[in-house]
Amino acid sequence: MYLKDSFERNINYVRIAVTDRCNLRCFYCMPEKGIEYEPKSHLLSYEEITRLLKILGNLGFSKVRFTGGEPFLRKDFIKLLENTAALNLFENIHITSNGTLLEKYLSKLKKIGVSKINLSLDTLDKERFRKITRRDDFFKVMQTFHQLIQESFNVKVNAVIMHGVNTEDILPLAELAVKYPVSIRYIEEMPFNGGAKENNKIFNHKDILQILKTMYPGLSKIEGKHGDTASEYTLPEFKGKIGIIPAFSRTFCNTCNRLRITANGDIKTCLYDNGVFSIRDFIRSGVTDEQIKVKFKELIQLKPKDGFEASKSKNKQIIRSESMSSIGG
Ligand code: SAM
Ligand code: SF4
């Protein structure tokens, strides 16, 4: 059983930002001084998240991704993963992480059954890593990458590609997919950077593919699954694959299967909307599970046709400019 939105899309994937805090300062995500963090009491508690997941799981959601901010900064994050696994409702429990704090938890993740990790890594050059993230954690992240491969995790590498910043990393990153069974995903930059900068000219999916084809002219497209945001490609000599995510061009909205819960408990039915409802305030008002279930069904019907439609209705009065660190990516 899947919930369908008003455009007949099956909605079965929820992404939850468990915190807006982060130990890196990626310049496409937040300003150097960081963002104004929500008071801890504004974040959903683990009990609240687990309650929401139980309701969503019973509504037919089968995939959850925990993201942030950096999810491993949140105290007892492992406990939340254990609670989620214990619900026995989600086929897929995934995490997106910057990889700086992850290594020591690998055996616990395995034990819980979390085997799919998206690791953010925009460059294979230590100096560029420092410029992009404003921190010196390149070797730590690379060590985690190798550890994940060694321990047979299913790894996807997320790389935001930007004009004049890291386009020279496109081919070296693809080499990782030649050598290792990983999926390298090149992502167009989106405008959610906490007011850190203007979004200049976007290095788009076509530009990325063009560079990849200079080295790999025979790249063949892989048939995607419903809800995939990446167009994926491979070649016989690849152990892994490469994918391009047109996150700014928004060419994948017609199969979107997602609902987002931001760090402060806002529901986003589209990455580009304004946050349509505070599920945190709703559950804190003492409502029953049945009322929450009905609310989720209503909210899913508000899902806009695409990201362009969603950004049209964006509230221009919004004071705090959004950072991906609160939205969760
Ligand atoms: N801190 C974790 C990490 O970096 O993987 C999880 C949260 S982060 C917000 C989730 C994903 O969003 C990362 O892969 C990051 O590269 C991506 N992201 C952040 N800001 C972005 C932007 N402005 N445009 C495109 N992707 C962005
Ligand atoms: Fe932190 Fe992830 Fe944002 Fe980088 S992209 S600042 S690691 S939340």
Side-chain angles (χ1 to χ4, degrees):
M1 190 262 299
Y2 285 145
L3 281 184
K4 279 196 191 290
D5 72 2
S6 58
F7 299 94
E8 291 293 305
R9 292 173 296 200
N10 293 331
I11 313 300
N12 63 352
Y13 172 19
V14 59
R15 299 174 60 105
I16 304 184
V18 297
T19 180
D20 54 357
R21 276 105 173 126
C22 194
N23 54 339
L24 302 188
R25 289 287 179 274
C26 306
F27 80 99
Y28 51 74
C29 180
M30 59 165 91
E32 186 157 17
K33 62 179 187 342
I35 53 169
E36 206 177 305
Y37 292 140
E38 292 286 340
K40 287 207 170 135
S41 61
H42 288 195
L43 304 181
L44 291 170
S45 70
Y46 286 164
E47 290 73 21
E48 288 169 333
I49 295 175
T50 312
R51 183 177 176 201
L52 293 176
L53 284 175
K54 188 171 176 191
I55 295 166
L56 288 169
N58 283 320
L59 277 170
F61 277 65
S62 57
K63 174 170 170 183
V64 54
R65 175 176 301 284
F66 294 109
T67 169
E70 175 47 39
F72 286 92
L73 273 181
R74 182 134 176 205
K75 208 162 151 243
D76 284 339
F77 175 52
I78 292 290
K79 184 84 205 133
L80 175 64
L81 296 172
E82 284 168 348
N83 293 348
T84 306
L87 291 174
N88 234 341
L89 290 168
F90 289 87
E91 274 164 45
N92 293 293
I93 303 174
H94 298 186
I95 297 172
T96 302
S97 167
N98 64 28
T100 55
L101 307 164
L102 183 54
E103 215 185 334
K104 67 176 182 203
Y105 297 109
L106 296 192
S107 59
K108 281 195 176 147
L109 294 178
K110 271 262 164 93
K111 207 163 145 218
I112 299 167
V114 177
S115 59
K116 295 191 177 169
I117 309 274
N118 285 14
L119 189 70
S120 297
L121 178 65
D122 308 308
T123 176
L124 293 179
D125 178 89
K126 175 179 179 290
E127 201 41 42
R128 273 202 291 280
F129 182 95
R130 197 183 54 74
K131 282 197 180 125
I132 293 172
T133 65
R134 302 177 175 117
R135 296 292 183 269
D136 251 329
D137 288 318
F138 176 69
F139 290 116
K140 207 189 285 175
V141 177
M142 284 312 291
Q143 194 171 318
T144 301
F145 169 80
H146 288 293
Q147 195 76 30
L148 285 165
I149 303 287
Q150 212 171 328
E151 306 267 342
S152 306
F153 278 84
N154 183 324
V155 182
K156 290 182 178 170
V157 169
N158 285 352
V160 181
I161 302 298
M162 296 153 287
H163 262 297
V165 177
N166 63 344
T167 51
E168 57 269 69
D169 281 293
I170 293 175
L171 294 175
L173 282 164
E175 279 282 301
L176 293 180
V178 176
K179 282 198 207 139
Y180 305 106
V182 295
S183 178
I184 306 296
R185 293 135 52 91
Y186 304 96
I187 307 176
E188 288 177 357
E189 185 184 8
M190 291 177 270
F192 309 116
N193 53 45
K197 65 191 208 40
E198 284 297 312
N199 249 37
N200 299 322
K201 192 169 174 283
I202 298 297
F203 200 80
N204 72 25
H205 58 116
K206 292 181 193 154
D207 303 326
I208 296 168
L209 187 58
Q210 200 176 5
I211 292 199
L212 286 165
K213 286 209 163 159
T214 59
M215 184 74 182
Y216 307 108
L219 273 180
S220 60
K221 199 161 179 186
I222 305 170
E223 195 57 44
K225 289 190 310 301
H226 174 84
D228 282 349
T229 50
S231 303
E232 290 195 307
Y233 302 85
T234 192
L235 274 176
E237 68 258 37
F238 278 36
K239 286 209 169 77
K241 49 195 175 182
I242 53 187
I244 304 176
I245 304 186
F248 186 74
S249 305
R250 287 161 263 182
T251 54
F252 47 67
C253 301
N254 60 336
T255 60
C256 181
N257 60 351
R258 293 139 194 246
L259 189 74
R260 289 182 166 78
I261 304 181
T262 66
N264 67 355
D266 278 348
I267 298 284
K268 268 180 174 283
T269 56
C270 171
L271 187 51
Y272 285 84
D273 76 20
N274 228 359
V276 291
F277 187 74
S278 172
I279 201 76
R280 177 199 66 206
D281 292 350
F282 191 59
I283 53 177
R284 289 183 188 176
S285 72
V287 288
T288 63
D289 284 5
E290 187 54 32
Q291 286 170 305
I292 299 172
K293 188 171 148 187
V294 170
K295 181 53 77 181
F296 273 129
K297 286 184 173 173
E298 275 170 31
L299 291 169
I300 283 163
Q301 296 314 308
L302 298 180
K303 203 169 157 59
K305 179 166 160 280
D306 56 36
F308 296 101
E309 203 60 44
S311 46
K312 262 193 226 160
S313 62
K314 235 173 154 47
N315 176 4
K316 298 283 183 299
Q317 303 305 318
I318 198 157
I319 301 159
R320 188 169 56 90
S321 42
E322 286 178 291
S323 157
M324 203 61 108
S325 186
S326 350
I327 304 172

